[in-house]
Amino acid sequence: MGNRGRLIAPGGLRDELAGEADDAPVTGEPLAELAAQYGLRPSSARPGLVSYLTKVWQRRHFIFAYATARNVSMYTEARLGQLWQVLTPLLNSAVYYLVFGVLFKANRGISNYTAFLVTGVFIFAFTERSIVTGSTVMRANMTLIRALHFPRACLPFAYVLVEFQQLLLSMLVLFAIVLGTGEPLTWYWLLLVPTLVLQATFNVGAALIMARVGAGAQDISQLVPFLLRVWRYFCGVMYSIASLPAELPEWAKNVLSFNPAAVYISLTRYAIMATYRADAPGAQPYNAARCALFNAKKIPSLQAYCHPEITVSELWLAGIGWAIVTLVAGVLYFWQAETRYGRG
């Protein structure tokens, strides 16, 4: 049936369409130029980096609302609700205290091992959960990705924000434990703010990297928790890196001290633990005899008379460097595959 509502014979449709095409106005401009003139672009084209980041920033309210909603709904089916956000790291701390503090004597060389251990567990858990959720975020939200058009980087940002909100809640318990074990409230505690900001920045970059890796290989989400468990044992969560045997090569201690998780844990302990600052190597003038006695007996107060292998200034530089490099690498790595997410 033609456009005028009459039946046409076989072959007539082609002729009519050809006639309509002949009647269409000829502009003389290629389609590409017309698309450029009206600001059109292929839907599968990757946006520019600046444009992409601008779109992410424009959706900051969506990121915050989505993160808050997930945070509230996460433990709705559990009777204790959001208390599990605090109970989980506390139970882990209790297990580590029994195994490492009592059985393996990892508390040697540490004046306040309870605050030392709980701080390490809470801070490392923030990075650990951010990376784990980042590795599964794309597959877990495939329905949302296919239903709505938005920058996919919003999802890793939102999930790290969820973990950051949970960390702030658990910090109340951490502060109570630290103060309850005799640590004073000082101006050094203000250093906790830039420390957590740097760690959150690092976590966002790591989550973006793992989001792209996890989107392409589902088995990654099964391997990541194992790798993070290994990482936990190499960043001084349960023991003091400075108290490791003197026979351990200096380069090995530097590698342990400068890995990102260890850096942010050390900066947090330095901010809220006066005993950690007082017992840190270099806190007192160097004394060879007392330093040798510390290496032999692991008396915490004598550690301050040893040479510092890593200074606080170096830790801050390392923390800033890890945050910037990881975030930039994560944004670039994720942005390059933006158009692939949600296919298939």
Side-chain angles (χ1 to χ4, degrees), residues 33-88:
E33 294 183 5
L34 284 174
Q37 179 182 351
Y38 292 100
L40 302 178
R41 59 184 304 167
S43 59
S44 60
R46 183 178 63 197
L49 179 59
V50 175
S51 174
Y52 185 71
L53 294 177
T54 302
K55 292 179 180 178
V56 173
W57 172 251
Q58 291 172 346
R59 287 162 176 80
R60 61 190 182 277
H61 302 295
F62 162 76
I63 294 174
F64 182 80
Y66 183 77
T68 303
R70 283 200 56 85
N71 196 18
V72 172
S73 64
M74 189 173 299
Y75 298 101
T76 52
E77 297 181 0
R79 292 188 176 182
L80 296 179
Q82 293 189 343
L83 285 178
W84 282 111
Q85 298 176 3
V86 177
L87 291 177
T88 300

Side-chain angles (χ1 to χ4, degrees), residues 59-232:
R59 287 162 176 80
R60 61 190 182 277
H61 302 295
F62 162 76
I63 294 174
F64 182 80
Y66 183 77
T68 303
R70 283 200 56 85
N71 196 18
V72 172
S73 64
M74 189 173 299
Y75 298 101
T76 52
E77 297 181 0
R79 292 188 176 182
L80 296 179
Q82 293 189 343
L83 285 178
W84 282 111
Q85 298 176 3
V86 177
L87 291 177
T88 300
L90 283 179
L91 292 174
N92 287 336
S93 300
V95 172
Y96 294 147
Y97 186 91
L98 175 64
V99 175
F100 293 94
V102 177
L103 298 180
F104 291 102
K105 303 297 181 182
N107 57 348
R108 297 182 64 196
I110 303 172
S111 296
N112 187 352
Y113 186 69
T114 300
F116 180 93
L117 176 63
V118 174
T119 301
V121 171
F122 276 62
I123 295 301
F124 183 81
F126 177 32
T127 295
E128 180 182 34
R129 291 197 303 261
S130 298
I131 294 177
V132 169
T133 56
S135 66
T136 61
V137 63
M138 306 309 293
R139 292 184 177 276
N141 293 274
M142 193 58 64
T143 302
L144 179 64
I145 291 173
R146 290 173 176 171
L148 300 176
H149 178 71
F150 62 95
R152 310 314 188 199
C154 293
L155 292 175
F157 273 96
Y159 274 67
V160 173
L161 183 57
V162 169
E163 302 302 334
F164 187 71
Q165 291 175 345
Q166 294 185 7
L167 175 67
L168 294 181
L169 178 61
S170 63
M171 277 291 172
L172 299 177
V173 178
L174 174 61
F175 294 161
I177 294 175
V178 171
L179 294 174
T181 54
E183 300 290 344
L185 183 62
T186 66
W187 290 107
Y188 282 95
W189 284 55
L190 295 177
L191 295 175
L192 188 61
V193 175
T195 300
L196 294 182
V197 170
L198 289 175
Q199 186 185 9
T201 303
F202 168 82
N203 290 353
V204 169
L208 287 169
I209 294 174
M210 295 309 304
R212 175 175 173 178
V213 174
Q218 189 173 4
D219 293 336
I220 293 295
S221 60
Q222 305 299 324
L223 181 62
V224 167
F226 171 77
L227 297 177
L228 289 171
R229 196 175 302 119
V230 175
W231 189 18
R232 183 188 298 118

